[in-house]
Amino acid sequence: MSQADSGAPARDTWTSGFAFLYSCMASAIGLGSLWRFPYTAGQNGGAAFVILFLVFILVLCVPLMMAEMLIGKRGGGSALLSISNMIRGERAWGAWKAIGWLSILIPFLGLSYYSVVAGWGLQYIGVAAAHGFDGYAAASGSKFDTLMNSPVRGALLQGGFIAAVSVIVALGVQRGIEWVARIKMVGLFVIMVGLVIYGAMNLDMGRAAEFLFNPKWSALTPEAVLEAFGQALFSTSIGVGMIITYSAYVPRQISLGQASLAINLTVALVATMAGLAIFPALFTYHIKPTAGPPLIFVALPAAFDKMPAGRWVGLMFFVMIVLAGFTVAVGMLEPVVAWLKEKSKLGRGPLAFITGAACFAVGLPSLLSFSTLKDLHPLSAVPQFASKTFFDLLDFSIANLLLPLNGLLIALFVGWCVKRATADEELSLKGVVELGWRISVMILSPVLVAVLMVSLIFPDTAKAILGHLLPHA
């Protein structure tokens, strides 16, 4: 059922298919590629993890994104309205509305803590602009802790970031989202290419390239396989709700298959380039790439202190981080506002600021997880979560539970409930390509997502099973 059939109010549209494409790219490429991918690759051995990550993107994320695009384009509304229209049109079980609810809940909760990390990037832009990274080589960790122990400053930066995101969403699809996406993609490309060239000329690019592209398969662990798949889902924003929402504004003539392939390949390229921008500095200054989440906020500033023109390199790096995070945040706020706009008589502007304010309020415990609430562990009675703060719980739950769950539901719904005629009409796939898409959405994606989720609930069992498949692990 299309939007016109559903009786929904008229919606914004992209100015062109190309605008849809770069807007989706801008909203998919963010901290998942520039912050989370480098440290997960560093923790899981480098090249073998990277290759698996790329394979998962091509084999699983491209088909899954096509499935999300199908729901949005066919449904013609917010994530919840789109899935509701699809359920009626395909005469499917009403419980599939869970996809719509998750596609609103995930971006709302995600933005609440994502904005905290973006605030860190803003703080480091200020550090670089004011006096550079002098002294960070010896005390980067303690300087990061000092920044984290300033909750008022952190709240102001977090709030300012969310307010700016709200402004863009309030301006609408063409005047807001398209405009900022265009700036982000050009700026990101220029800065990233510049950082890679700088690394090739001044730093140890050889070791970085070997670490990223020369796989040691014998060192691959079952955990790394699951991490690679989870990272692929996280980096491509599968299950977030943004792709469904943006696809509702898409021109009818666009090829969803080509769009999905282009978006996912761009995500993979940017993530790989992020590794080439970061790891040369780490290897040059003998910093271990296994630093984990603090990699770019603790390890890299120590390297910026030592390298030639490190202040300006660091400034450009953190501008890139914030720029990337900004359009992803826009893509997180838009699904919630799109849904509220269908339910409320208020305009897009007031709804954007109300939703932004709610995200800020919900995100305060995550912000305070690094200062006044750092010793508070809400689920301390559960062994798996005993040491996790509010921030850790949100990060873990979204990346490892809610996103995979929504991806699983999307695959099952489109693969098994959507009529073949509907998929043929929206995707226009033929021959081997259509067969490959169906196998991925109906079988491969659900099985692997289910394995990923079971591994989180029963880690020892999953490790034992995967251990048989990876005898060297």
Side-chain angles (χ1 to χ4, degrees):
M1 180 181 293
S2 68
Q3 178 192 340
D5 297 330
S6 70
R11 301 182 63 79
D12 292 320
T13 58
W14 305 108
T15 55
S16 66
F18 183 61
F20 163 71
L21 197 62
Y22 67 67
S23 296
C24 285
M25 290 176 180
S27 290
I29 297 168
L31 298 181
S33 297
L34 303 183
W35 169 54
R36 205 171 187 274
F37 173 78
Y39 81 70
T40 51
Q43 289 178 319
N44 290 283
F49 173 90
V50 172
I51 291 173
L52 278 177
F53 167 78
L54 297 176
V55 169
F56 283 137
I57 280 184
L58 289 174
V59 175
L60 300 173
C61 293
V62 170
L64 278 175
M65 186 174 288
M66 290 168 63
E68 285 202 67
M69 288 180 174
L70 186 156
I71 293 172
K73 184 180 177 186
R74 187 77 171 189
S78 69
L80 186 57
L81 179 59
S82 288
I83 195 66
S84 298
N85 288 341
M86 289 288 292
I87 288 169
R88 285 194 293 272
E90 306 300 312
R91 297 182 179 178
W93 189 29
W96 290 111
K97 282 187 179 180
I99 293 171
W101 287 114
L102 284 171
S103 297
I104 294 169
L105 177 66
I106 290 171
F108 179 81
L109 293 178
L111 180 57
S112 74
Y113 85 93
Y114 194 92
S115 56
V116 174
V117 183
W120 299 349
L122 288 171
Q123 294 199 56
Y124 274 91
I125 288 175
V127 169
H131 48 71
F133 297 95
D134 292 341
Y136 275 73
S140 185
S142 63
K143 289 180 179 292
F144 179 75
D145 290 340
T146 300
L147 287 176
M148 296 304 99
N149 285 323
S150 303
V152 174
R153 177 172 53 192
L156 288 173
L157 291 170
Q158 180 188 11
F161 179 83
I162 293 178
V165 169
S166 301
V167 169
I168 297 301
V169 172
L171 289 172
V173 170
Q174 296 182 10
R175 292 190 302 141
I177 298 174
E178 278 190 26
W179 176 76
V180 76
R182 209 162 36 235
I183 294 174
K184 181 262 185 74
M185 291 307 296
V186 173
L188 182 69
F189 177 79
V190 171
I191 294 173
M192 185 164 280
V193 169
L195 290 173
V196 172
I197 291 174
Y198 176 89
M201 295 177 62
N202 298 282
L203 304 172
D204 196 344
M205 182 63 77
R207 283 191 63 193
E210 181 179 2
F211 180 75
L212 288 170
F213 304 124
N214 184 18
K216 296 178 175 60
W217 296 107
S218 61
L220 190 65
T221 66
E223 292 88 346
V225 175
L226 296 173
E227 282 275 7
F229 181 46
Q231 180 60 41
L233 291 176
F234 193 88
S235 291
T236 53
S237 296
I238 297 294
V240 170
M242 177 271 294
I243 292 295
I244 294 178
T245 305
Y246 280 17
S247 298
Y249 312 144
V250 76
R252 296 295 303 174
Q253 70 274 15
I254 193 170
S255 168
L256 299 185
Q258 292 177 1
S260 177
L261 181 63
I263 293 165
N264 280 274
L265 288 177
T266 303
V267 169
L269 175 64
V270 169
T272 305
M273 289 182 67
L276 291 175
I278 290 171
F279 288 116
L282 300 182
F283 288 122
T284 299
Y285 299 108
H286 310 291
I287 299 171
K288 293 182 179 180
T290 56
L295 179 68
I296 65 173
F297 293 104
V298 176
L300 274 179
F304 294 145
D305 184 11
K306 298 177 180 179
M307 70 176 61
R311 173 182 181 179
W312 306 111
V313 174
L315 177 61
M316 289 298 98
F317 178 82
F318 286 111
V319 167
M320 178 181 73
I321 290 294
V322 173
L323 186 63
F326 187 78
T327 49
V328 175
V330 169
M332 288 178 173
L333 190 62
E334 176 63 18
V336 186
V337 172
W339 170 63
L340 290 174
K341 191 167 176 283
E342 294 167 349
K343 299 295 180 182
S344 171
K345 294 182 180 179
L346 292 176
R348 170 181 280 272
L351 290 173
F353 287 105
I354 291 170
T355 307
C359 279
F360 172 74
V362 172
L364 285 177
S366 292
L367 173 71
L368 298 176
S369 293
F370 299 90
S371 54
T372 56
L373 299 182
K374 64 182 178 182
D375 295 322
L376 180 61
H377 309 293
L379 296 181
S380 57
V382 182
Q384 189 175 0
F385 303 107
S387 62
K388 294 186 183 298
T389 63
F390 276 100
F391 181 94
D392 297 331
L393 282 174
L394 274 179
D395 184 38
F396 180 88
S397 299
I398 290 174
N400 298 312
L401 294 176
L402 295 181
L403 282 178
L405 174 60
N406 210 22
L408 174 63
L409 294 177
I410 289 167
L412 291 174
F413 176 74
V414 174
W416 294 96
C417 297
V418 172
K419 298 181 183 70
R420 184 167 184 172
T422 301
D424 288 345
E425 181 180 343
E426 296 298 342
L427 299 178
S428 302
L429 302 178
K430 303 294 181 183
V432 176
V433 176
E434 181 191 11
L435 178 62
W437 177 78
R438 291 197 171 278
I439 290 174
S440 179
V441 174
M442 296 177 72
I443 301 171
L444 287 179
S445 295
V447 168
L448 283 174
V449 174
V451 169
L452 176 65
M453 296 185 68
V454 168
S455 73
L456 297 166
I457 302 171
F458 306 105
D460 294 336
T461 302
K463 183 176 181 180
I465 293 172
L466 284 174
H468 289 296
L469 300 176
L470 298 168
H472 297 292

